[in-house]
Amino acid sequence: MPPTTIPVSSRHVAVVGAGAAGLVAARELRRDGHSVVVFERGNEVGGTWVYTPHLEPDPLGLDPKRPIVHSSLYSSLRTNLPREVMGFMDFPFMIRPGEGRDPRRYPGHREVLMYLKDFAREFGVEEMVRFETEVVKVRILDSGKWNVQSKKMSCFSNENGNEDDEIYDAVVVCNGHYTEPRVAEIPGINSWPGKQTHSHNYRISEPFRDQVVIVIGSSSSAVDICRDLAAVAKEVHVASRSVADETYRKQPGYDNLWLHSMIDNARDDGTVVFRNGKVVLAGVIMHCTGYKYHFPFLDTKGIVTVDDNRLGPLYKHVFPPALAPCLSFIGIPWKIVPFLLFELQSKWVAGVLSGRITFPSQKEMMEDINSFYSMLEAAGIPKRYTHCIGESQFEYCNWLAAQCGCQGVEKWRELMNSAALVNQQLRPETYRDEWEDHDLVLEAYEDFVKHTS
Ligand code: FAD
């Protein structure tokens, strides 16, 4: 089949969300000549990076009707990537002078928000954003166009306001994937009398003072939160799925932080039994167990579904073949360097929509997806890891760059990302303040000159 080419054209495009993905998508779409409206539920750009002390009333996030707090940031959060790796390719995340700026290589969350605001200002993105406007329904019409229904809302109140009903040629979904909690299944948990919460609703350690807390998970958030908690809690016990069943060890440098294997069951006397046989009387279980893809506004008549956290079918994690190129998703892959990947996916979407970039036929895309799924199945990889592309992320990014005819991932960035991962393993307590890749930092700053001069 010959590649599908659509004539070079400008389209009227709706972008859902003004986080890092929505901001760079809007910039790339406009660069390609499209007219763009970005819908943002909050009252500022930045998405996840807009820290709020607010918590949702349902600490596990199980109630679908709960008022939503978008961000999952905790107060002490510093980035888990060096800023040079983390920034967009043509707008480096450099140390910027100014009051309140954080010059650290792994800055606190406020600095990331300031950087995203700098980005939005530099490229005039804010003028495309409708703030405090929630997309409540996106559906395809028989004409192939898209109906986008939105409502004006006041921040944090989920209050109903004016509703709008509009037609767009295309929709780019950038609604973020760290808001809808996923919780661990624990035998006996329904009669366990303690409190449960999810890291989505963790902000500060103080409410856990003198308590015995069990943290489930081994992601970056779990690692940070258990250390935060250990400073005030009586005991912190981490349950990890990725260690051997007999694991039980006190964490070096702490006298109240233990690593265990996974929880076996919880009992009605308040104790929790680990697979290593240890029994702990605990008051709180904190699920640091990740998030689910969630698109409550999207009606594709069953064409796109989420099954065991596989969003599909999606060609290269972006386009559902039957609705391509007029429906796309930015930022679905995980265990990645996010901003870089968002930038390249956005360039691809913008170029395909304008017809500048050729595109395979629906049949070819489905064949590609099916062979990808078969490969995952043959390797015994569960569906929920479909979008976990950590090890192949740079190959993926370079494939996107090749589609767009733009520069691929800088070698220093790839090497620095590997060095940062090694450093994090070697120095789990201090990796944000001690490192050895000084030569790569120099190389990055030399490279940044071409974007700043
Ligand atoms: P978001 O930032 O979540 O933005 C989505 C936007 O969509 C939000 O503004 C939301 O209000 C809006 N929205 C959602 N639904 C609607 C709707 N229906 N209508 C209108 N608007 C809507 N990445 C790193 O690079 N480095 C890190 O150190 C790092 N640490 C992280 C720590 C935590 C705790 C978390 C949760 C994530 C971290 N990330 C980190 C990943 C981070 O999520 C990405 O960097 C990136 O910010 C995600 O951007 P996004 O635009 O995809 O989503």
Side-chain angles (χ1 to χ4, degrees):
M1 294 279 265
T4 305
T5 323
I6 48 178
V8 174
S9 60
S10 156
R11 293 175 179 241
H12 189 40
V13 186
V15 173
V16 185
L23 292 175
V24 72
R27 183 191 71 172
E28 294 303 331
L29 286 161
R30 192 169 59 184
R31 276 183 172 171
D32 240 298
H34 303 290
S35 74
V36 184
V37 175
V38 182
F39 292 87
E40 172 49 53
R41 194 160 54 180
N43 60 2
E44 54 187 310
V45 303
T48 286
W49 296 99
V50 180
Y51 173 81
T52 168
H54 294 268
L55 302 176
E56 292 178 1
D58 170 10
L60 279 183
L62 299 176
D63 178 2
K65 295 207 176 83
R66 71 196 189 279
I68 301 293
V69 172
H70 185 79
S71 178
S72 303
L73 291 191
Y74 32 94
S75 173
S76 64
L77 186 137
R78 288 174 67 186
T79 65
N80 54 20
L81 288 173
R83 62 195 305 150
E84 303 86 14
V85 172
M86 194 171 150
F88 293 112
M89 288 176 93
D90 64 359
F91 189 71
F93 190 7
M94 293 164 56
I95 297 167
R96 277 163 207 263
E99 206 181 315
R101 300 305 297 232
D102 181 347
R104 291 175 296 180
R105 192 174 179 217
Y106 290 75
H109 56 82
R110 279 174 207 84
E111 177 68 14
V112 183
L113 180 61
M114 286 193 222
Y115 165 73
L116 290 175
K117 289 190 167 176
D118 290 343
F119 176 90
R121 207 172 305 117
E122 174 78 15
F123 298 103
V125 181
E126 282 200 1
E127 69 204 36
M128 293 184 260
V129 185
R130 285 191 206 157
F131 289 105
E132 298 187 356
T133 308
E134 179 175 25
V135 170
V136 289
K137 187 136 187 162
V138 168
R139 68 187 175 100
I140 187 153
L141 303 173
D142 291 341
S143 61
K145 299 216 178 222
W146 290 83
N147 174 229
V148 175
Q149 295 170 25
S150 61
K151 74 170 190 224
K152 247 339 226 181
M153 59 191 295
S154 115
C155 205
F156 303 122
S157 75
N158 282 16
E159 228 170 61
N160 275 2
N162 294 343
E163 304 219 347
D164 232 330
D165 199 319
E166 296 165 296
I167 307 295
Y168 287 85
D169 298 320
V171 176
V172 182
V173 180
C174 306
N175 65 326
H177 310 299
Y178 297 101
T179 297
E180 191 68 16
R182 189 167 22 162
V183 298
E185 283 173 21
I186 305 170
I189 197 68
N190 291 339
S191 47
W192 182 74
K195 274 196 227 152
Q196 292 185 77
T197 184
H198 188 277
S199 53
H200 175 57
N201 286 306
Y202 176 76
R203 299 289 178 269
I204 50 170
S205 57
E206 199 46 43
F208 303 91
R209 181 169 289 280
D210 301 328
Q211 304 213 35
V212 176
V213 185
I214 294 177
V215 171
I216 307 178
S218 43
S219 64
S220 297
S221 298
V223 171
D224 283 349
I225 290 173
C226 70
R227 284 161 170 79
D228 234 16
L229 288 170
V232 300
K234 186 172 169 207
E235 293 172 16
V236 181
H237 298 266
V238 179
S240 170
R241 219 175 21 188
S242 39
V243 296
D245 273 359
E246 61 278 12
T247 304
Y248 173 65
R249 46 176 190 266
K250 199 177 254 188
Q251 290 305 94
Y254 295 85
D255 58 10
N256 65 344
L257 177 58
W258 288 266
L259 177 67
H260 297 256
S261 48
M262 201 42 201
I263 294 173
D264 186 74
N265 66 84
R267 297 171 177 161
D268 57 9
D269 61 359
T271 57
V272 171
V273 184
F274 292 87
R275 288 204 187 137
N276 58 16
K278 299 289 169 197
V279 179
V280 170
L281 179 63
V284 183
I285 295 179
M286 167 101 56
H287 296 249
C288 298
T289 38
Y291 296 86
K292 299 181 208 163
Y293 295 109
H294 190 53
F295 308 94
F297 51 85
L298 192 57
D299 176 4
T300 61
K301 299 189 174 128
I303 293 173
V304 184
T305 58
V306 181
D307 174 15
D308 188 22
N309 229 28
R310 167 185 286 175
L311 173 66
L314 281 191
Y315 177 60
K316 307 292 183 195
H317 309 276
V318 173
F319 290 110
L323 302 170
C326 292
L327 180 67
S328 57
F329 296 81
I330 304 292
I332 298 300
W334 51 283
K335 278 222 172 153
I336 51 155
V337 173
F339 295 4
L340 163 77
L341 181 136
F342 300 168
E343 186 174 2
L344 290 165
Q345 285 186 329
S346 299
K347 283 184 194 296
W348 188 40
V349 168
V352 168
L353 276 173
S354 65
R356 225 179 10 89
I357 298 175
T358 53
F359 200 53
S361 67
Q362 189 176 325
K363 182 167 172 282
E364 284 170 317
M365 286 189 266
M366 274 317 300
E367 281 168 4
D368 185 87
I369 294 167
N370 288 332
S371 69
F372 175 52
Y373 288 174
S374 304
M375 187 268 287
L376 294 178
E377 208 172 310
I381 297 172
K383 281 184 185 166
R384 63 180 179 279
Y385 290 106
T386 300
H387 308 292
C388 174
I389 64 163
E391 287 188 2
S392 57
Q393 62 171 316
F394 295 118
E395 191 187 322
Y396 173 79
C397 285
N398 284 328
W399 181 89
L400 289 170
Q403 298 303 301
C404 304
C406 67
Q407 182 209 312
V409 182
E410 310 90 331
K411 201 69 207 159
W412 62 258
R413 196 185 298 247
E414 218 177 308
L415 293 172
M416 194 185 277
N417 185 58
S418 308
L421 289 173
V422 171
N423 193 36
Q424 196 169 347
Q425 298 294 325
L426 280 177
R427 304 180 171 100
E429 306 296 331
T430 58
Y431 75 92
R432 291 182 171 100
D433 297 303
E434 278 180 72
W435 52 79
E436 280 160 18
D437 57 344
H438 307 280
D439 51 332
L440 291 170
V441 179
L442 273 180
E443 209 179 310
Y445 274 82
E446 275 164 25
D447 198 34
F448 290 163
V449 172
K450 67 175 180 258
H451 302 293
T452 51
S453 52

